[in-house]
Amino acid sequence: MKIVKLTTIIVMLSAAMNVQALGVDSLIKVMDDSRDVITISNNDGFRQFVNLSISDVDVVDGDLVATAYNKENIDSWSLEVQPSKLILDNGQSKRISIRYLGNDSREKDKVYAINVVPTPYYAQDETPPNTVQIVIGVAPYVVLAAKQDKPLAYTVKHEGEYVRVKNLGNTYFRANLKACDSIALKVPVNQCISSSHVLSGRELKIPLPEKAGNNEIEVSFSTHYNTYKETFDLTAGQVKKK
């Protein structure tokens, strides 16, 4: 099954519409240890019952392919979350523990999706009549970094409104596109810098920051432990390979 977006939508049929959503502290959680946490928040106005499940994620021919944990593949599970079921009142947040179960040398990064699926709860006298309840879950990615960085290998091309980056190496790297100095211009950082994590084997189109215009941009790549890093300038139409 291919992951095509980070949200899961469950639709319950009726006549009107009521949209509810959960939030997480990060849609990409990068770990270099065997334990970490994610924080789930409920600000939609209603109590939510929340179920969490895990999928292994692999990059196959450039696409993200998810394999859900189930009874048939229980022997290959390498990540757990605790608790896997919880109740969140409106305005409440809870921390969820993530623990890696493997003990291998991790020559490559391991990638998972944590599927966070809510079910709205109403007291009997609180349920809005004739309502379509659209429940939006989230599926943050968890990246467990390899034990050692591998050398950078990539192709990158400035294509005007975005930069196309392909990771040809064996571990993920961070990609930062800098168009201006946010401090000097007194603007938010995201107007000058775009950032992404590029998994091994993936090709991404990273949008240029708002202040980029048609100007030259500064591109920075760095591996998880900063063992390998590069910074260079890129102009529209320019291609760089390594």
Side-chain angles (χ1 to χ4, degrees):
M1 178 182 68
K2 294 182 180 179
I3 295 179
V4 294
K5 57 184 177 180
L6 288 175
T7 56
T8 302
I9 300 179
I10 303 171
V11 179
M12 301 170 63
L13 295 179
S14 188
M17 184 177 293
N18 185 22
V19 179
Q20 302 155 6
L22 293 181
V24 293
D25 57 340
S26 176
L27 286 175
I28 299 179
K29 174 73 69 174
V30 179
M31 304 168 58
D32 57 13
D33 201 353
S34 60
R35 295 177 181 270
D36 211 320
V37 296
I38 59 173
T39 301
I40 302 174
S41 302
N42 176 20
N43 295 298
D44 64 16
F46 300 93
R47 172 181 287 184
Q48 298 279 8
F49 291 92
V50 182
N51 287 286
L52 289 86
S53 63
I54 302 172
S55 296
D56 284 331
V57 178
D58 297 294
V59 179
V60 180
D61 296 328
D63 293 324
L64 296 178
V65 178
T67 303
Y69 282 14
N70 54 47
K71 294 179 180 179
E72 283 69 40
N73 59 25
I74 191 170
D75 290 340
S76 64
W77 293 6
S78 58
L79 196 77
E80 71 171 8
V81 293
Q82 291 291 340
S84 61
K85 299 179 186 294
L86 62 150
I87 297 173
L88 285 176
D89 288 319
N90 178 48
Q92 188 178 22
S93 297
K94 287 188 178 181
R95 287 158 60 95
I96 305 299
S97 173
I98 307 169
R99 185 167 73 96
Y100 178 60
L101 303 175
N103 55 9
D104 55 81
S105 58
R106 294 206 315 272
E107 291 295 319
K108 292 187 176 183
D109 306 322
K110 291 185 175 293
V111 185
Y112 307 88
I114 309 296
N115 308 296
V116 183
V117 181
T119 302
Y121 169 82
Y122 297 95
Q124 194 169 30
D125 59 350
E126 293 176 334
T127 304
N130 299 321
T131 300
V132 173
Q133 299 175 0
I134 300 181
V135 183
I136 303 178
V138 290
Y141 288 107
V142 173
V143 180
L144 182 63
K147 290 289 189 180
Q148 294 184 330
D149 287 338
K150 299 298 188 297
L152 288 167
Y154 58 81
T155 62
V156 56
K157 183 179 180 181
H158 190 320
E159 297 192 351
E161 295 183 354
Y162 58 86
V163 169
R164 186 184 298 272
V165 180
K166 185 171 185 179
N167 184 353
L168 304 174
N170 289 324
T171 52
Y172 91 91
F173 61 75
R174 294 175 291 268
N176 291 319
L177 312 180
K178 182 177 180 181
C180 55
D181 186 334
S182 61
I183 296 176
L185 295 179
K186 298 181 180 179
V187 297
V189 172
N190 61 8
Q191 291 189 20
C192 285
I193 299 176
S194 293
S195 300
S196 292
H197 294 78
V198 188
L199 299 177
S200 174
R202 285 282 281 165
E203 180 177 276
L204 298 183
K205 291 165 59 175
I206 305 174
L208 294 182
E210 182 179 328
K211 296 290 185 180
N214 295 318
N215 300 324
E216 182 178 75
I217 59 170
E218 180 184 277
V219 178
S220 297
F221 294 155
S222 58
T223 52
H224 180 75
Y225 302 104
N226 286 314
T227 308
Y228 305 96
K229 48 190 174 183
E230 293 184 14
T231 299
F232 52 88
D233 294 329
L234 207 63
T235 56
Q238 185 177 356
V239 178
K240 181 176 172 61
K241 299 180 180 180
K242 181 172 181 179

